[in-house]
Amino acid sequence: MALFQKKTTEEATVDFERLPKHIAIIMDGNGRWAKKRGLPRTAGHAAGAETFRTIATYCKDIGLDYLTVYAFSTENWKRPAEEVSAIMGLLKKYLLEAISKMEKDRVKMEFFGDLSVLTPELRELIEQTREISRHYKGCQVNICLNYGGRDELLRATRAFAQDCVAGKKDPAALTEEAFEAYLFSKGVPDPDLVIRPSGELRLSNFLLWQSAYAEFYFTDVLWPDFSKEELHRAIAAYQSRNRRYGGV
Ligand code: FPP
């Protein structure tokens, strides 16, 4: 099965007993999807938010343990203010809906990134969703917001160095496991499968540490058009691969 999937209607067969534990997705292509339709970019993000809702619900239904999505990067602030504000508005809408159905869905929600720069209203909603779902045991959905892999690694390194200066940690004793406790993704297993739609073949500062042994799947389908069938193709490709983790 190919690394890059051209748009197809071919059905893929998934072994639901052998799902990856953790899927991560770079939700890319919203702008191009809108442009193709003569719509403003913000309409692409609204469609992308709908796709996110569909895929997250489906991941919960099939029993996936973890789904992580890249919603807003540390670099995305460079976009026009109107677009940034539209994405934040969609997030607020999604969180309000998520809060109202959390009891029923029992999806655990987490957020990776520097949230301190978000509006107090958004931070309050994030805290509420975190708090309500803290003890849920089903699918965990991680939304990366104002997230950058390099920023995450710098923050972790800084925090570890401070603990060393304070005499709480010993640099000589640092292990991968101990370092992971300083990452936003603390406690979450590494992604097994990273999906990037829209035809771009880049990681774009997403989960740099965590993707060390991930399988990658790229497709030229734009994120708003990404469907359950696309997800099946990605999982089937993953299931056809032989993961060796540096071994033979
Ligand atoms: C990348 O596409 C997409 C983003 C930077 C924003 C993603 C945001 C959402 C899907 C909506 C809000 C999220 C949630 C979780 C409710 P792009 O704009 O770079 O597309 P392009 O490359 O075609 O221009």
Side-chain angles (χ1 to χ4, degrees):
M1 190 86 56
L3 172 74
F4 185 84
Q5 179 66 61
K6 278 222 155 288
K7 209 170 192 168
T8 174
T9 50
E10 220 173 89
E11 293 257 337
T13 310
V14 170
D15 177 354
F16 288 95
E17 301 300 315
R18 239 171 20 92
L19 287 178
K21 214 174 162 51
H22 183 177
I23 296 180
I25 306 181
I26 300 174
M27 303 187 292
D28 195 15
N30 297 346
R32 277 163 285 168
W33 182 93
K35 193 169 175 209
K36 267 170 64 180
R37 288 162 178 77
L39 296 169
R41 293 178 56 82
T42 49
H45 295 312
E50 281 308 319
T51 302
F52 163 68
R53 199 177 276 112
T54 307
I55 294 297
T57 307
Y58 186 61
C59 285
K60 169 190 78 102
D61 292 345
I62 60 175
L64 189 81
D65 290 338
Y66 298 90
L67 172 71
T68 301
V69 293
Y70 208 2
F72 198 85
S73 76
T74 43
E75 289 73 36
N76 286 152
W77 297 105
K78 291 183 216 148
R79 295 186 176 214
E82 186 202 339
E83 183 172 341
V84 171
S85 132
I87 295 174
M88 296 301 161
L90 287 164
L91 221 47
K92 175 179 159 191
K93 185 166 167 254
Y94 176 77
L95 292 176
L96 284 169
E97 281 171 20
I99 289 170
S100 73
K101 12 185 229 105
M102 270 186 149
E103 260 315 304
K104 182 174 141 281
D105 286 353
R106 304 191 79 74
V107 166
K108 182 171 174 178
M109 304 230 358
E110 256 307 333
F111 300 83
F112 299 168
D114 173 16
L115 309 178
S116 67
V117 295
L118 302 179
T119 61
E121 185 190 28
L122 212 46
R123 274 185 287 149
E124 171 59 30
L125 286 173
I126 286 174
E127 239 353 274
Q128 268 188 49
T129 46
R130 264 186 172 150
E131 196 44 50
I132 302 172
S133 65
R134 189 156 304 205
H135 305 292
Y136 291 170
K137 295 273 185 282
C139 184
Q140 174 168 333
V141 176
N142 307 305
I143 299 184
C144 296
L145 265 183
N146 191 25
Y147 173 88
R150 288 186 172 182
D151 179 61
E152 178 181 40
L153 290 169
L154 274 184
R155 278 166 195 280
T157 309
R158 217 177 279 130
F160 175 71
Q162 277 159 356
D163 280 352
C164 290
V165 170
K168 293 191 257 175
K169 294 281 180 207
D170 170 12
L174 183 64
T175 59
E176 289 186 7
E177 289 71 25
F179 187 68
E180 281 168 2
Y182 290 89
L183 299 175
F184 292 125
S185 59
K186 166 178 158 184
V188 173
D190 288 343
D192 304 291
L193 170 62
V194 175
I195 301 173
R196 182 167 193 159
S198 95
E200 307 293 350
L201 306 175
R202 292 188 288 276
L203 199 46
S204 300
N205 209 7
F206 187 46
L207 303 178
L208 296 182
W209 170 280
Q210 300 86 341
S211 297
Y213 286 99
E215 294 294 328
F216 289 88
Y217 180 85
F218 300 98
T219 164
D220 61 4
V221 169
L222 303 173
W223 174 248
D225 291 329
F226 197 89
S227 57
K228 293 174 192 174
E229 290 71 29
E230 293 301 332
L231 186 69
H232 288 170
R233 275 174 214 123
I235 297 174
Y238 164 84
Q239 289 178 334
S240 73
R241 308 227 187 122
N242 175 14
R243 301 182 83 193
R244 291 191 297 277
Y245 299 97
V248 285

